[in-house]
Amino acid sequence: MKFGLCRILLLMILCAVPALGQEFTGRVTDPTGAAISKAAITVHNVLTNVEETTLTTESGDYRVPFLKVGEYKVTASAKGFKTAIHAGLVLQTEQTSTVNFSLNVGEVSESITVTADSIIDFDKADAGEVIENMRITELPIGSRDPGMLTELSAGATWNQSLTWDRPFDDTQNNININGGQNGGSELLLDGMTNSAASVNGFGTGRISYVPLIDSTQEVKVITNPYDAKYGLMVGGVEEVTLKSGTNKLHGDVYEYAMRTWLNANSYSNDYANAHLLPGAKPHPTSPLKKDQYGFELDGPVIIPKVYNGANKTFFMMQYERWVQVSPNYSFASVPDPKWTTGDFTSLLTKPAIPITIYDPMSISPSGVRLPFGPTDNNGNATLAANIIPANRLNKFAQQVLTYFPAPNVDMTGQANPFQNNYAYNSSDNDHYRNAVVKVDHLFTENDRSTLRYGYWQRFETRDTTGLLGGADQGALPYTLRSHTFDFNHIHTFTPNLIADFHAQVVDRFNFWHGGPKFNPVTQLGWNQQMVTAMGPQAGIEFPALNLHSFASPGQNNYNADTHLSLY
């Protein structure tokens, strides 16, 4: 029993997160301005027909917290007074709306309705802007990431190339608010933290779930988070509110596409094509393909002849898939293939001056080191200068050179004819998928719950050197994956005592392998003893080599980490 109690207390501590949400508050008075106590307050959600009720206090005040974003009608009634109704009230993200009533003497059955009231937020010590659903769905957003809408707020600045505005690029790390550092903003989703792990040494946090445009109801950007409930970060606050289902079924299906044949060739390709070596293949337009497609559906949970969830059970779901092939055209410096056989006669500088290679084992009678070639007196004379005998070649070095492609760009006449002598036209390949499911259920007028699960995964391969096989470098592959579970239950004990329980589990996995898998035993001629001596990584990746003036093959950049967060 003692152990079970400790676990419960620990869970309560983990879940002791400041409750964020929307609410109505106000005061009910009579025509003289005197407070009316125990007046009945009813808050009616127009789209779901869900109602919350409470009574005013002795001072005539009332408060109805933990409401969903949406349109409401608020009613006040008391014995001996006409019923007053304020309709057309739109409650936005993180808004405390003050709606006061002045009841006239009369019968309760009589009512006075005020429509499209202005809502004033008196109880907040912060400044910001709400980006409503119309702007979210109608504005052209290149990669359909709601986080990019932060730029619409005064004081918010994007500090990165728009190449990296994709939803899986942790875009929040490239935004600063009111002069704060990049990535210094607090991330919230439906009132809970949306960071996957604690703030790192750079002052930034990783996002846990990436919201989708079609399932986002509102985005609020708080540029001056003076309210005491905000903290942790040094910038502003970016809060996203996801849609909840209503009594009407809504949905959409979409596809955004880009294709190579719609684009012109790049300047780099045109330059390389104009300086091709004889026999080299021309470079076509770099591949560019993008498909971003999915669907969104929300409404009441209805199973014909089994369950009718109208007015009490609602759902929202969305799935999105992203497949992108982006051009990755670049130049690399590669050696002459003849060097593999020891023929370095092409090793020249401008203007065609040979670079002499000396034999470290041959010295003339006068003590001068001799070059490889006809004058070599060590029994290794060759027909021409800068030709190294086959028996002096290092087998490992020969094997490494086979992973370099042959030059395909004519750099004759340049200061270094081997610099940027290979043009490669590869591609970055990204596969991304995202899914979210949210269910809201009204058990009784005193109990309601929300359950949400979000998942996204990114898989990328990217070549950054243009080398062959296991010697290549880049994101090969780069993988991100995140699972987010969120549960919220609200219980009303009395009109003045409400419990809000909120728990969240976030699991984010990051994996980076800087090159393809490689077996040095079969592909470089190493023996197992050498592999064992250099550690387990030596058996799965090409050894990292730093070659002066040439592309460096291999990598030593394997990394994997998992962040599990409980809130």
Side-chain angles (χ1 to χ4, degrees):
M1 174 65 77
K2 183 177 179 181
F3 178 69
L5 180 61
C6 291
R7 286 191 295 178
I8 294 174
L9 291 175
L10 176 61
L11 182 60
M12 293 176 66
I13 292 172
L14 289 172
C15 297
V17 178
L20 306 176
Q22 300 70 233
E23 62 181 17
F24 283 109
T25 186
R27 174 172 291 185
V28 181
T29 60
D30 63 19
T32 68
I36 300 177
S37 63
K38 295 186 179 180
I41 303 295
T42 301
V43 177
H44 176 83
N45 188 309
V46 175
L47 296 179
T48 63
N49 290 329
V50 173
E51 293 186 343
E52 302 292 333
T53 60
T54 189
L55 299 175
T56 58
T57 63
E58 292 296 325
S59 60
D61 296 315
Y62 75 91
R63 180 171 175 260
V64 183
F66 310 121
L67 298 173
K68 300 287 185 182
V69 169
E71 182 181 350
Y72 286 88
K73 179 176 67 175
V74 182
T75 303
S77 61
K79 186 176 181 180
F81 296 91
K82 296 180 181 179
T83 298
I85 302 172
H86 286 244
L89 303 175
V90 177
L91 200 57
Q92 294 183 323
T93 298
E94 199 53 33
Q95 186 174 33
T96 297
S97 300
T98 301
V99 180
N100 296 319
F101 293 88
S102 179
L103 302 185
N104 296 320
V105 177
E107 296 296 327
V108 176
S109 58
E110 300 179 87
S111 64
I112 300 175
T113 301
V114 179
T115 305
D117 249 2
S118 61
I119 298 179
I120 302 177
D121 209 341
F122 291 108
D123 297 339
K124 294 293 176 64
D126 54 58
E129 178 183 4
V130 173
I131 302 166
E132 71 283 355
N133 188 255
M134 179 174 289
R135 283 196 286 174
I136 292 174
T137 56
E138 298 297 330
L139 287 177
I141 306 173
S143 296
R144 292 175 51 79
D145 178 10
M148 295 299 295
L149 292 168
T150 303
E151 292 184 84
L152 297 177
S153 297
T157 306
W158 170 260
N159 297 295
Q160 182 58 272
S161 166
L162 288 177
T163 302
W164 313 114
D165 69 340
R166 301 170 300 182
F168 44 79
D169 284 326
D170 273 325
T171 55
Q172 76 284 347
N173 285 339
N174 298 313
I175 293 177
N176 69 57
I177 296 178
N178 279 358
Q181 67 185 39
N182 284 356
S185 299
E186 184 174 3
L187 305 176
L188 300 174
L189 180 66
D190 286 341
M192 284 290 288
T193 181
N194 197 28
S195 295
S198 301
V199 178
N200 58 33
F202 298 99
T204 61
R206 291 168 171 165
I207 195 168
S208 56
Y209 176 71
V210 181
L212 296 165
I213 284 288
D214 299 78
S215 55
T216 297
Q217 180 66 31
E218 291 180 348
V219 177
K220 183 171 185 178
V221 181
I222 302 174
T223 53
N224 294 297
Y226 298 128
D227 201 298
K229 63 188 174 186
Y230 300 117
L232 181 64
M233 308 299 272
V234 296
V237 178
E238 177 189 313
E239 179 169 3
V240 176
T241 299
L242 295 182
K243 289 181 180 178
S244 292
T246 65
N247 277 327
K248 291 185 178 180
L249 192 66
H250 300 85
D252 66 84
V253 178
Y254 57 91
E255 154 80 359
Y256 296 86
M258 300 174 68
R259 291 296 182 268
T260 304
W261 58 270
L262 293 172
N263 297 330
N265 210 343
S266 66
Y267 168 80
S268 300
N269 275 2
D270 289 339
Y271 176 86
N273 288 338
H275 296 81
L276 285 176
L277 287 172
K281 295 181 179 179
H283 299 278
T285 302
S286 302
L288 175 62
K289 178 183 178 182
K290 174 184 172 182
D291 287 292
Q292 186 177 8
Y293 56 90
F295 72 91
E296 189 275 338
L297 187 66
D298 63 84
V301 176
I302 297 177
I303 305 175
K305 299 182 181 181
V306 177
Y307 181 76
N308 185 354
N311 300 331
K312 58 182 177 180
T313 307
F314 310 94
F315 77 96
M316 182 278 295
M317 65 169 60
Q318 184 173 359
Y319 176 80
E320 180 172 288
R321 183 74 189 273
W322 175 305
V323 179
Q324 181 176 358
V325 179
S326 304
N328 179 16
Y329 187 88
S330 189
F331 290 88
S333 301
V334 297
D336 189 328
K338 293 186 294 183
W339 296 1
T340 306
T341 62
D343 185 352
F344 287 83
T345 54
S346 62
L347 189 60
L348 307 173
T349 62
K350 182 182 179 181
I353 300 175
I355 299 176
T356 302
I357 301 178
Y358 291 90
D359 186 347
M361 301 180 64
S362 296
I363 300 177
S364 69
S366 60
V368 178
R369 194 172 300 279
L370 298 175
F372 283 108
T375 62
D376 195 337
N377 64 0
N378 195 34
N380 294 311
T382 53
L383 294 178
N386 281 0
I387 295 181
I388 301 175
N391 62 349
R392 300 286 300 280
L393 297 177
N394 183 281
K395 301 299 182 184
F396 173 70
Q398 285 181 295
Q399 197 67 30
V400 169
L401 287 177
T402 62
Y403 289 90
F404 284 85
N408 61 4
V409 177
D410 186 3
M411 301 300 291
T412 302
Q414 302 299 317
N416 182 354
F418 295 98
Q419 184 175 7
N420 295 332
N421 60 345
Y422 176 67
Y424 63 95
N425 196 5
S426 64
S427 61
D428 298 346
N429 297 272
D430 274 290
H431 294 261
Y432 165 75
R433 55 185 177 178
N434 188 319
V436 62
V437 178
K438 182 179 180 181
V439 178
D440 299 282
H441 180 67
L442 179 68
F443 293 94
T444 67
E445 62 179 11
N446 294 326
D447 289 278
R448 63 184 190 272
S449 293
T450 298
L451 181 64
R452 171 171 52 84
Y453 168 69
Y455 164 82
W456 65 275
Q457 182 181 38
R458 176 221 190 152
F459 183 86
E460 178 189 20
T461 57
R462 180 176 1 118
D463 171 11
T464 57
T465 60
L467 300 185
L468 306 175
D472 197 8
Q473 292 184 14
L476 299 162
Y478 178 42
T479 301
L480 301 175
R481 186 190 66 232
S482 177
H483 296 276
T484 303
F485 302 87
D486 186 273
F487 175 74
N488 176 223
H489 183 79
I490 299 172
H491 176 74
T492 302
F493 292 98
T494 69
N496 298 320
L497 180 60
I498 300 176
D500 176 34
F501 175 82
H502 217 147
Q504 186 180 83
V505 178
V506 176
D507 176 27
R508 173 160 168 169
F509 173 75
N510 307 284
F511 173 84
W512 172 279
H513 200 295
K517 290 186 177 181
F518 183 80
N519 187 343
V521 174
T522 59
Q523 295 172 279
L524 281 181
W526 291 8
N527 57 46
Q528 193 58 49
Q529 184 179 2
M530 295 171 61
V531 175
T532 303
M534 287 183 281
Q537 286 302 117
I540 63 172
E541 61 189 19
F542 199 99
L545 303 174
N546 186 9
L547 304 183
H548 180 66
S549 300
F550 293 98
S552 296
Q555 52 85 30
N556 187 21
N557 195 17
Y558 173 88
N559 183 45
D561 59 272
T562 300
H563 298 276
L564 179 65
S565 306
L566 304 177
Y567 300 97

